[in-house]
Short mmCIF file of all heavy atoms in Angstrom, two decimals:
data_model
loop_
_atom_site.label_atom_id
_atom_site.label_comp_id
_atom_site.label_asym_id
_atom_site.label_seq_id
_atom_site.Cartn_x
_atom_site.Cartn_y
_atom_site.Cartn_z
N ASN A 1 -8.03 -8.67 3.35
CA ASN A 1 -7.29 -8.96 4.55
C ASN A 1 -6.01 -8.19 4.64
O ASN A 1 -5.67 -7.51 5.71
CB ASN A 1 -7.01 -10.47 4.67
CG ASN A 1 -8.18 -11.21 5.03
OD1 ASN A 1 -9.22 -10.74 5.52
ND2 ASN A 1 -8.08 -12.55 4.74
N LEU A 2 -5.33 -8.04 3.49
CA LEU A 2 -4.04 -7.23 3.50
C LEU A 2 -4.44 -5.72 3.76
O LEU A 2 -3.74 -5.14 4.57
CB LEU A 2 -3.37 -7.34 2.12
CG LEU A 2 -2.24 -6.48 1.89
CD1 LEU A 2 -1.08 -6.80 2.84
CD2 LEU A 2 -1.74 -6.51 0.42
N LEU A 3 -5.37 -5.26 3.10
CA LEU A 3 -5.76 -3.80 3.25
C LEU A 3 -6.27 -3.52 4.71
O LEU A 3 -5.90 -2.50 5.28
CB LEU A 3 -6.80 -3.37 2.28
CG LEU A 3 -6.32 -3.32 0.85
CD1 LEU A 3 -7.48 -2.99 -0.08
CD2 LEU A 3 -5.15 -2.28 0.69
N HIS A 4 -6.93 -4.44 5.23
CA HIS A 4 -7.47 -4.26 6.64
C HIS A 4 -6.27 -4.15 7.61
O HIS A 4 -6.20 -3.30 8.40
CB HIS A 4 -8.42 -5.46 7.01
CG HIS A 4 -8.91 -5.33 8.41
ND1 HIS A 4 -9.91 -4.45 8.76
CD2 HIS A 4 -8.67 -6.07 9.45
CE1 HIS A 4 -10.15 -4.56 10.03
NE2 HIS A 4 -9.39 -5.52 10.48
N TRP A 5 -5.35 -5.06 7.44
CA TRP A 5 -4.20 -5.03 8.30
C TRP A 5 -3.34 -3.70 8.09
O TRP A 5 -2.99 -3.05 9.03
CB TRP A 5 -3.27 -6.26 8.07
CG TRP A 5 -1.92 -6.15 8.74
CD1 TRP A 5 -1.74 -6.32 10.08
CD2 TRP A 5 -0.72 -5.69 8.17
NE1 TRP A 5 -0.39 -6.10 10.36
CE2 TRP A 5 0.18 -5.77 9.24
CE3 TRP A 5 -0.37 -5.36 6.89
CZ2 TRP A 5 1.55 -5.34 9.00
CZ3 TRP A 5 1.05 -4.94 6.68
CH2 TRP A 5 1.96 -5.02 7.74
N GLN A 6 -3.06 -3.41 6.79
CA GLN A 6 -2.29 -2.20 6.62
C GLN A 6 -2.93 -0.92 7.10
O GLN A 6 -2.27 -0.06 7.61
CB GLN A 6 -1.94 -2.09 5.05
CG GLN A 6 -0.82 -3.02 4.68
CD GLN A 6 -0.30 -2.71 3.37
OE1 GLN A 6 -1.04 -2.78 2.35
NE2 GLN A 6 0.91 -2.47 3.26
N LEU A 7 -4.25 -0.85 6.87
CA LEU A 7 -4.93 0.40 7.29
C LEU A 7 -5.03 0.54 8.88
O LEU A 7 -5.01 1.65 9.37
CB LEU A 7 -6.40 0.44 6.68
CG LEU A 7 -6.42 0.62 5.15
CD1 LEU A 7 -7.82 0.53 4.71
CD2 LEU A 7 -5.73 2.00 4.70
N GLY A 8 -4.93 -0.62 9.45
CA GLY A 8 -4.97 -0.58 10.96
C GLY A 8 -3.60 -0.48 11.59
O GLY A 8 -3.46 0.10 12.62
N ASP A 9 -2.55 -0.79 10.79
CA ASP A 9 -1.26 -0.90 11.46
C ASP A 9 -0.18 -0.08 10.82
O ASP A 9 0.87 0.22 11.47
CB ASP A 9 -0.74 -2.33 11.50
CG ASP A 9 -1.52 -3.19 12.47
OD1 ASP A 9 -2.29 -2.59 13.35
OD2 ASP A 9 -1.36 -4.42 12.51
N SER A 10 -0.25 0.26 9.55
CA SER A 10 0.90 0.92 8.91
C SER A 10 0.70 2.09 7.90
O SER A 10 1.61 2.71 7.60
CB SER A 10 1.69 -0.15 8.23
OG SER A 10 0.97 -0.72 7.22
N VAL A 11 -0.58 2.37 7.63
CA VAL A 11 -0.86 3.44 6.70
C VAL A 11 -1.74 4.47 7.36
O VAL A 11 -2.80 4.27 7.80
CB VAL A 11 -1.57 2.94 5.39
CG1 VAL A 11 -1.83 4.05 4.48
CG2 VAL A 11 -0.69 1.87 4.66
N ALA A 12 -1.13 5.70 7.50
CA ALA A 12 -1.91 6.83 8.13
C ALA A 12 -2.88 7.42 7.11
O ALA A 12 -2.58 7.47 5.87
CB ALA A 12 -0.92 7.97 8.58
N PRO A 13 -4.02 7.75 7.57
CA PRO A 13 -5.06 8.31 6.63
C PRO A 13 -4.53 9.62 5.95
O PRO A 13 -3.85 10.45 6.60
CB PRO A 13 -6.28 8.78 7.54
CG PRO A 13 -6.11 7.82 8.70
CD PRO A 13 -4.57 7.61 8.90
N GLY A 14 -4.62 9.69 4.68
CA GLY A 14 -4.14 10.83 3.84
C GLY A 14 -2.68 10.87 3.72
O GLY A 14 -2.13 11.90 3.25
N ALA A 15 -1.92 9.85 4.06
CA ALA A 15 -0.48 9.90 3.99
C ALA A 15 0.06 9.88 2.53
O ALA A 15 -0.69 9.46 1.63
CB ALA A 15 0.17 8.77 4.75
N ARG A 16 1.26 10.35 2.40
CA ARG A 16 1.90 10.17 1.10
C ARG A 16 2.77 8.98 1.14
O ARG A 16 3.53 8.87 2.10
CB ARG A 16 2.80 11.47 0.84
CG ARG A 16 2.00 12.66 0.38
CD ARG A 16 2.92 13.67 -0.04
NE ARG A 16 2.22 14.76 -0.67
CZ ARG A 16 2.52 16.06 -0.60
NH1 ARG A 16 3.66 16.38 -0.03
NH2 ARG A 16 1.80 16.94 -1.16
N THR A 17 2.68 8.19 0.12
CA THR A 17 3.49 6.94 0.05
C THR A 17 4.26 6.87 -1.15
O THR A 17 3.92 7.24 -2.32
CB THR A 17 2.52 5.69 0.05
OG1 THR A 17 1.74 5.75 1.20
CG2 THR A 17 3.36 4.34 0.03
N LEU A 18 5.52 6.54 -1.07
CA LEU A 18 6.40 6.41 -2.23
C LEU A 18 6.17 5.10 -2.90
O LEU A 18 6.16 4.10 -2.22
CB LEU A 18 7.87 6.50 -1.84
CG LEU A 18 8.96 6.30 -2.92
CD1 LEU A 18 8.84 7.55 -3.87
CD2 LEU A 18 10.31 6.22 -2.31
N GLN A 19 5.82 5.19 -4.17
CA GLN A 19 5.69 3.86 -4.96
C GLN A 19 7.14 3.44 -5.35
O GLN A 19 7.57 3.66 -6.39
CB GLN A 19 4.81 4.14 -6.25
CG GLN A 19 4.68 2.92 -7.18
CD GLN A 19 4.12 1.78 -6.55
OE1 GLN A 19 3.05 1.88 -5.79
NE2 GLN A 19 4.69 0.58 -6.68
N PHE A 20 7.72 2.69 -4.44
CA PHE A 20 9.10 2.31 -4.60
C PHE A 20 9.22 1.03 -5.34
O PHE A 20 10.06 0.87 -6.24
CB PHE A 20 9.85 2.18 -3.26
CG PHE A 20 11.32 1.93 -3.32
CD1 PHE A 20 12.16 2.93 -3.66
CD2 PHE A 20 11.81 0.66 -3.26
CE1 PHE A 20 13.51 2.78 -3.84
CE2 PHE A 20 13.17 0.36 -3.37
CZ PHE A 20 14.03 1.42 -3.66
N SER A 21 8.41 0.06 -5.08
CA SER A 21 8.44 -1.25 -5.75
C SER A 21 8.00 -1.06 -7.29
O SER A 21 7.18 -0.34 -7.57
CB SER A 21 7.44 -2.22 -5.10
OG SER A 21 7.82 -2.44 -3.79
N ALA A 22 8.73 -1.91 -8.08
CA ALA A 22 8.38 -1.97 -9.47
C ALA A 22 6.95 -2.48 -9.56
O ALA A 22 6.55 -3.32 -8.79
CB ALA A 22 9.38 -2.85 -10.23
N LEU A 23 6.19 -2.00 -10.55
CA LEU A 23 4.85 -2.36 -10.71
C LEU A 23 4.68 -3.83 -11.04
O LEU A 23 3.62 -4.43 -10.85
CB LEU A 23 4.14 -1.56 -11.77
CG LEU A 23 3.95 -0.04 -11.35
CD1 LEU A 23 3.35 0.74 -12.52
CD2 LEU A 23 3.07 0.12 -10.10
N SER A 24 5.75 -4.42 -11.49
CA SER A 24 5.76 -5.83 -11.86
C SER A 24 5.96 -6.75 -10.59
O SER A 24 5.91 -7.95 -10.71
CB SER A 24 6.79 -6.18 -12.96
OG SER A 24 8.10 -5.85 -12.45
N PHE A 25 6.27 -6.12 -9.52
CA PHE A 25 6.55 -6.92 -8.28
C PHE A 25 5.27 -6.81 -7.34
O PHE A 25 4.67 -5.80 -7.23
CB PHE A 25 7.71 -6.25 -7.55
CG PHE A 25 8.22 -6.91 -6.31
CD1 PHE A 25 8.35 -8.30 -6.29
CD2 PHE A 25 8.51 -6.22 -5.20
CE1 PHE A 25 8.88 -8.92 -5.12
CE2 PHE A 25 8.93 -6.81 -4.06
CZ PHE A 25 9.12 -8.15 -4.01
N ASP A 26 4.85 -7.92 -6.80
CA ASP A 26 3.61 -8.03 -6.05
C ASP A 26 3.54 -7.06 -4.83
O ASP A 26 2.48 -6.70 -4.54
CB ASP A 26 3.29 -9.48 -5.62
CG ASP A 26 4.28 -10.08 -4.66
OD1 ASP A 26 5.41 -9.52 -4.53
OD2 ASP A 26 4.01 -11.13 -4.08
N VAL A 27 4.67 -6.78 -4.31
CA VAL A 27 4.62 -5.79 -3.26
C VAL A 27 4.07 -4.42 -3.62
O VAL A 27 3.49 -3.69 -2.79
CB VAL A 27 6.05 -5.63 -2.64
CG1 VAL A 27 6.11 -4.51 -1.55
CG2 VAL A 27 6.54 -6.93 -2.00
N SER A 28 4.18 -4.09 -4.87
CA SER A 28 3.63 -2.86 -5.32
C SER A 28 2.12 -2.74 -5.07
O SER A 28 1.59 -1.59 -4.76
CB SER A 28 3.76 -2.62 -6.83
OG SER A 28 3.02 -3.53 -7.64
N PHE A 29 1.41 -3.81 -4.99
CA PHE A 29 0.02 -3.76 -4.65
C PHE A 29 -0.23 -3.17 -3.18
O PHE A 29 -1.31 -2.57 -2.97
CB PHE A 29 -0.70 -5.18 -4.77
CG PHE A 29 -0.94 -5.47 -6.30
CD1 PHE A 29 0.07 -5.90 -7.12
CD2 PHE A 29 -2.20 -5.36 -6.80
CE1 PHE A 29 -0.16 -6.14 -8.43
CE2 PHE A 29 -2.49 -5.67 -8.12
CZ PHE A 29 -1.41 -6.02 -8.94
N GLN A 30 0.61 -3.59 -2.33
CA GLN A 30 0.55 -3.07 -0.95
C GLN A 30 0.62 -1.54 -1.00
O GLN A 30 -0.06 -0.86 -0.31
CB GLN A 30 1.60 -3.72 -0.07
CG GLN A 30 1.43 -5.16 0.14
CD GLN A 30 2.52 -5.74 0.94
OE1 GLN A 30 3.31 -5.03 1.57
NE2 GLN A 30 2.57 -7.11 0.98
N GLU A 31 1.58 -0.97 -1.69
CA GLU A 31 1.74 0.43 -1.84
C GLU A 31 0.55 1.14 -2.48
O GLU A 31 0.06 2.16 -2.01
CB GLU A 31 3.10 0.71 -2.47
CG GLU A 31 4.29 0.23 -1.76
CD GLU A 31 5.62 0.22 -2.62
OE1 GLU A 31 5.50 0.46 -3.84
OE2 GLU A 31 6.65 0.01 -2.03
N LEU A 32 0.17 0.51 -3.56
CA LEU A 32 -0.90 1.15 -4.36
C LEU A 32 -2.31 1.07 -3.59
O LEU A 32 -2.82 2.21 -3.31
CB LEU A 32 -1.09 0.38 -5.66
CG LEU A 32 -0.04 0.38 -6.67
CD1 LEU A 32 -0.29 -0.70 -7.76
CD2 LEU A 32 0.02 1.73 -7.40
N PHE A 33 -2.74 -0.01 -3.30
CA PHE A 33 -4.12 -0.17 -2.73
C PHE A 33 -4.21 0.35 -1.36
O PHE A 33 -5.31 1.03 -1.06
CB PHE A 33 -4.61 -1.57 -2.84
CG PHE A 33 -4.76 -2.04 -4.24
CD1 PHE A 33 -4.26 -3.32 -4.60
CD2 PHE A 33 -5.47 -1.32 -5.18
CE1 PHE A 33 -4.48 -3.79 -5.87
CE2 PHE A 33 -5.61 -1.87 -6.51
CZ PHE A 33 -5.19 -3.09 -6.86
N ALA A 34 -3.29 0.17 -0.49
CA ALA A 34 -3.45 0.66 0.85
C ALA A 34 -3.33 2.23 0.89
O ALA A 34 -4.09 2.79 1.64
CB ALA A 34 -2.24 0.09 1.73
N THR A 35 -2.52 2.80 0.06
CA THR A 35 -2.42 4.26 -0.06
C THR A 35 -3.77 4.82 -0.50
O THR A 35 -4.32 5.69 0.10
CB THR A 35 -1.29 4.77 -0.96
OG1 THR A 35 -0.07 4.18 -0.44
CG2 THR A 35 -1.31 6.31 -1.04
N TRP A 36 -4.29 4.27 -1.57
CA TRP A 36 -5.56 4.78 -2.12
C TRP A 36 -6.75 4.53 -1.14
O TRP A 36 -7.64 5.39 -0.99
CB TRP A 36 -5.86 4.13 -3.42
CG TRP A 36 -4.89 4.54 -4.54
CD1 TRP A 36 -4.16 5.70 -4.58
CD2 TRP A 36 -4.55 3.77 -5.63
NE1 TRP A 36 -3.40 5.75 -5.69
CE2 TRP A 36 -3.63 4.62 -6.43
CE3 TRP A 36 -4.93 2.56 -6.17
CZ2 TRP A 36 -3.09 4.13 -7.59
CZ3 TRP A 36 -4.35 2.10 -7.37
CH2 TRP A 36 -3.50 2.90 -8.03
N ALA A 37 -6.75 3.38 -0.51
CA ALA A 37 -7.79 3.07 0.39
C ALA A 37 -7.78 4.03 1.71
O ALA A 37 -8.85 4.27 2.25
CB ALA A 37 -7.76 1.65 0.91
N ALA A 38 -6.63 4.60 1.94
CA ALA A 38 -6.47 5.48 3.12
C ALA A 38 -6.75 6.93 2.69
O ALA A 38 -6.58 7.87 3.48
CB ALA A 38 -5.14 5.37 3.73
N GLY A 39 -7.02 7.11 1.40
CA GLY A 39 -7.25 8.50 0.86
C GLY A 39 -5.92 9.24 0.72
O GLY A 39 -5.84 10.41 0.77
#
């Protein structure tokens, strides 16, 4: 559900995303998975 929303509303295909959140913080999953799912 999170990835579906992000890919439709906030992550451009092939975009570069800064991994700003610490990997120990749950928000990091939004940066990681959405970026990879968008290629």
